[in-house]
Amino acid sequence: MAEKKELLFDQFPPVSTAEWKAKVEADLKGAPFDKKLVWRTNEGFNVQPMYRAEDIADLKTTDSLPGEYPYVRGTRDNNDWLSRQEIIADDAEAANAKALDVLGKGINSLGFKVKEANAEELATLLKGIVVNAVELNFKCCPKKSLAFAKVLVEYLKANGIEKEFKGSIDFNPFKKALKHGVEFPGDIAAMGAEMLETVKDVPGLKVLAVDSEMLSNAGAYIFQELGYALAWGAEWLTLLTEKGYSAGDVANRIKFNMGVSSNYFMELAKFRAARMLWAQIVKQYNPASDDDCKMAVHAVTSKFNQTIYDAHVNLLRSQTECMSAALAGVDSITVTPFDTPYKTPDDFSERIARNQQFLLKEESHLDKVVDPAGGSYYVETLTASIAAEAWKLFLAVEDNGGFLAQVNSGDVQKVVRESSEKRHTDVARRKEILLGTNQYPNINEVAAGKIETTGCSCGCSHNEGPKGEGLPTARAASDFEALRLATEAAGRRPKVFMLTIGNLAMRLARAQFSTNFFGCAGYEIIDNLGFDTVEQGVDAALEQGADVVVLCSSDDEYATLAPDAFKYLDGRAEFVVAGAPACMDELKALGINDFVHVRCNVLDTLRDFNGRLLK
């Protein structure tokens, strides 16, 4: 007799989206659903608090398998990405020794910075390395790239491995214009054609760089990095197909080097959208095969959101970033060491950076599953939404002459600068959180002594004429770091005293808020259990040499407590009210002008206090 099986979920009636929303609205007790639970992304679209199967029913992104056009689910039938380490060394011999060392520690992709394009340096650099068993990637100044390509091709042919080689040369003639805001003076199409001709016998060597990592590290939003990256790649296709090369000849030489920020699901969706859109772009150039539409992507964890203070938080940031890229199915990943913002990475930080990838492979087995996010209602919706916004930007660039024209005119740099300024403002107002920098700082940390001055290791001159308005270079934390470093340089930490009084819950909450607020400037914080009178509190503050007295209580009590405390203090220290009470105007009329609350621009407020206290 056949066993009868009961399906668990068949015992429950289906629940519609309308029923779910009605339940949520009831729990919100009259608060508007859209205002409370729907959030607007920097990418220009809304994100709902829940998604269901019906949300992806009409999406075509769910119709393909990994390895199938349009490659939204990946260009391979596996997820075994390459783990790259950038080799930082003073000379070719030291770089070679370091490369051999890390190859024995699990790395299977190397990044070299080349100073001189000559055969002797290359031979020294690659001595003892089994070139056809590891991916090799080279960076040098654009004007040296062609000469280096010739040297590399000669080396590979001399060793009979030109057909087996896998790697790239970061040939990026757009770099100077992007960095310095000056129009590129040469013929990029001619340079690209000469490069393709030089490497024609090495099929696995990618030489046309799309370094959108530059845009990400300058503060561009995710959809902007993607939109401009697509336009950049399309520019290579247009310039070189017009020179007579086939779409496949060009597309198979393009390497996308993209950044990864800490917006976990958004970044994961970005790479999925990138492959899909790039495949459709290449398709318009009539390639011989769908394989020519595959996007080669290297992901690099962000430098823009790295911090000098509480630098080990950078490990948390880069770990989630690496995970986003890995789950998205990129071809290779570089994890930026956590100490990069303030020094040349040391052996410890490089080891940790390597292990961050190895943990995801060996412990979490993320390399064993292809596109695990595929079919997720949320990720599939994000993929389509990011693709739509990036496509709008791509079309706008194309309508205005293409990527090269937009770079030469400075429009790309201008857009990214505006985004960077907006993000710096959001950090200043704590709309964008950098843990340990603008929220929950380690108030006793000092950092000036660990900052090293490091120069460019490419070995060439950067005095390339007048600089215009290029991509910004300031990290998101740079303004707060300058603030704290100024406090350190002053030689005396201002003391901020929490005068806690009245309502227990409110005074504790506001003391905590104010501690975080003033701690962002590196001030010494003196907290208290509470006082019975403001006079006791003020006396205690002055006894401990307080420079700032922060009154922490409830809004209702401020109407009487704040005037009394301000009058008794009588200008012997700065006086601050924690909060934005309804009686603020009345308090300002009495001369109380300093209030700290969630709507404050934290950075500007602290700059003002630094100006007063660090004289």
Side-chain angles (χ1 to χ4, degrees):
M1 182 177 179
E3 182 181 351
K4 184 178 180 181
K5 294 184 178 180
E6 291 187 5
L7 298 177
L8 176 63
F9 289 104
D10 286 349
Q11 300 176 33
F12 299 91
V15 181
S16 69
T17 299
E19 290 175 295
W20 271 115
K21 190 169 181 179
K23 173 59 178 171
V24 172
E25 288 176 336
D27 289 346
L28 288 173
K29 298 178 181 178
F33 179 91
D34 289 344
K35 185 175 181 180
K36 283 290 184 181
L37 299 179
V38 178
W39 58 282
R40 184 78 172 173
T41 69
N42 291 321
E43 278 48 58
F45 56 86
N46 291 336
V47 172
Q48 298 293 325
M50 62 180 181
Y51 289 93
R52 291 163 58 84
E54 62 204 56
D55 293 302
I56 67 169
D58 297 327
L59 296 182
K60 297 181 179 179
T61 57
T62 59
D63 294 341
S64 64
L65 295 174
E68 291 184 356
Y69 181 90
Y71 308 114
V72 65
R73 302 202 62 199
T75 58
R76 313 183 302 277
D77 60 1
N78 65 76
N79 195 32
D80 191 13
W81 74 90
L82 298 176
S83 300
R84 185 194 295 188
Q85 179 168 330
E86 306 302 323
I87 303 300
I88 303 172
D90 294 330
D91 55 49
E93 188 174 349
N96 172 259
K98 189 169 186 176
L100 290 171
D101 179 58
V102 301
L103 286 174
K105 295 176 178 176
I107 288 295
N108 51 17
S109 176
L110 296 170
F112 291 108
K113 285 187 177 180
V114 179
K115 295 181 180 179
E116 297 297 333
N118 62 61
E120 183 180 355
E121 176 165 313
L122 181 62
T124 302
L125 198 63
L126 301 182
K127 183 179 179 180
I129 296 176
V130 183
V131 174
N132 55 349
V134 60
E135 184 188 67
L136 298 176
N137 305 277
F138 302 92
K139 280 188 178 182
C140 57
C141 290
K143 60 186 179 183
K144 295 183 180 180
S145 295
L146 181 61
F148 177 75
K150 292 177 180 178
V151 171
L152 178 61
V153 171
E154 289 173 4
Y155 176 90
L156 296 174
K157 286 185 174 181
N159 288 276
I161 53 175
E162 69 273 19
K163 302 300 182 185
E164 304 168 52
F165 178 83
K166 299 294 181 185
S168 67
I169 296 174
D170 192 61
F171 173 56
N172 179 7
F174 299 87
K175 186 175 183 178
K176 178 182 174 182
L178 283 167
K179 286 184 68 176
H180 305 309
V182 293
E183 187 171 337
F184 184 78
D187 185 346
I188 289 181
M191 294 169 66
E194 190 174 2
M195 180 65 83
L196 290 187
E197 195 63 29
T198 299
V199 303
K200 64 182 179 181
D201 295 327
V202 188
L205 178 54
K206 298 187 183 297
V207 292
L208 305 176
V210 175
D211 289 333
S212 65
E213 174 199 0
M214 294 176 64
L215 309 179
S216 176
N217 283 331
Y221 290 120
I222 291 172
F223 83 98
Q224 291 172 336
E225 183 199 2
L226 177 52
Y228 285 131
L230 296 171
W232 193 335
E235 189 72 37
W236 279 126
L237 281 169
T238 300
L239 291 173
L240 294 171
T241 52
E242 289 178 352
K243 285 285 187 180
Y245 290 92
S246 71
D249 288 339
V250 181
N252 288 313
R253 298 291 184 174
I254 297 176
K255 182 71 168 284
F256 287 82
N257 300 298
M258 304 183 75
V260 197
S261 73
S262 295
N263 197 329
Y264 183 79
F265 287 106
M266 204 79 75
E267 287 288 0
L268 196 164
K270 177 188 76 178
F271 289 111
R272 302 177 85 249
R275 289 192 297 265
M276 176 181 68
L277 295 177
W278 178 244
Q280 294 177 62
I281 289 170
V282 176
K283 194 77 166 177
Q284 301 310 305
Y285 289 81
N286 299 314
S289 165
D290 281 351
D291 284 345
D292 296 331
C293 300
K294 291 181 178 180
M295 186 185 211
V297 185
H298 174 64
V300 186
T301 63
S302 177
K303 294 184 181 74
F304 181 76
N305 62 16
Q306 286 193 319
T307 62
I308 293 174
Y309 287 92
D310 222 345
H312 288 94
V313 179
N314 294 333
L315 293 169
L316 303 179
R317 299 182 180 109
S318 59
Q319 189 66 48
T320 61
E321 291 162 4
C322 180
M323 192 173 177
S324 293
L327 291 173
V330 301
D331 299 294
S332 55
I333 302 174
T334 294
V335 174
T336 305
F338 73 88
D339 53 357
T340 298
Y342 55 89
K343 64 181 289 189
T344 300
D346 57 26
D347 290 342
F348 174 75
S349 64
E350 289 183 331
R351 176 189 171 212
I352 294 296
R354 288 193 300 271
N355 287 345
Q356 287 181 262
Q357 293 201 56
F358 299 157
L359 281 170
L360 295 181
K361 285 187 174 184
E362 305 303 328
E363 300 290 340
S364 301
H365 306 296
L366 297 192
D367 59 332
K368 300 297 190 290
V369 182
V370 185
D371 190 32
S376 160
Y377 307 149
Y378 180 44
V379 174
E380 293 289 2
T381 304
L382 283 184
T383 300
S385 299
I386 290 174
E389 296 303 318
W391 191 249
K392 290 177 189 175
L393 180 57
F394 169 77
L395 293 178
V397 173
E398 293 300 297
D399 289 342
N400 286 281
F403 186 73
L404 178 58
Q406 291 283 283
V407 169
N408 281 338
S409 69
D411 287 340
V412 172
Q413 298 92 318
K414 180 175 180 290
V415 169
V416 175
R417 279 199 309 276
E418 290 171 351
S419 296
S420 179
E421 290 168 4
K422 172 66 165 56
R423 293 186 69 181
H424 275 82
T425 299
D426 286 347
V427 170
R429 302 184 70 88
R430 295 208 283 210
K431 290 183 178 180
E432 185 170 333
I433 298 299
L434 288 173
L435 192 66
T437 297
N438 69 348
Q439 185 72 287
Y440 303 120
N442 179 351
I443 60 176
N444 294 317
E445 181 181 8
V446 291
K450 70 180 182 181
I451 299 174
E452 300 175 2
T453 301
T454 56
C456 176
S457 60
C458 67
C460 60
S461 171
H462 288 275
N463 296 320
E464 299 171 325
K467 295 183 179 180
E469 292 186 309
L471 294 174
T473 58
R475 290 172 292 105
S478 59
D479 295 325
F480 276 94
E481 289 166 354
L483 191 76
R484 285 196 69 167
L485 289 170
T487 302
E488 288 186 33
R492 186 188 74 85
R493 291 175 67 193
K495 295 181 178 181
V496 180
F497 186 94
M498 301 297 156
L499 200 169
T500 53
I501 189 171
N503 182 286
L504 179 61
M506 291 304 301
R507 78 190 192 201
L508 291 176
R510 282 178 162 157
Q512 181 63 56
F513 174 86
S514 301
T515 294
N516 286 329
F517 193 103
F518 285 99
C520 293
Y523 296 167
E524 180 182 345
I525 308 298
I526 305 171
D527 202 356
N528 300 280
L529 296 177
F531 298 94
D532 295 326
T533 67
V534 293
E535 289 79 10
Q536 288 178 357
V538 170
D539 288 341
L542 296 176
E543 184 179 339
Q544 297 197 48
D547 300 284
V548 180
V549 176
V550 183
L551 183 64
C552 302
S553 189
S554 65
D555 286 2
D556 293 340
E557 292 169 296
Y558 280 144
T560 55
L561 292 177
D564 290 346
F566 181 66
K567 182 178 179 180
Y568 188 73
L569 185 60
D570 194 26
R572 290 175 287 177
E574 301 292 338
F575 183 71
V576 178
V577 173
C583 62
M584 186 185 292
D585 289 340
E586 288 83 355
L587 298 180
K588 285 182 177 180
L590 297 174
I592 301 173
N593 296 312
D594 291 312
F595 299 82
V596 295
H597 47 82
V598 293
R599 294 190 297 277
C600 276
N601 184 309
V602 181
L603 180 66
D604 286 349
T605 303
L606 292 176
R607 279 173 171 166
D608 178 49
F609 275 99
N610 261 15
R612 295 185 235 171
L613 302 174
L614 303 183
K615 295 177 181 178

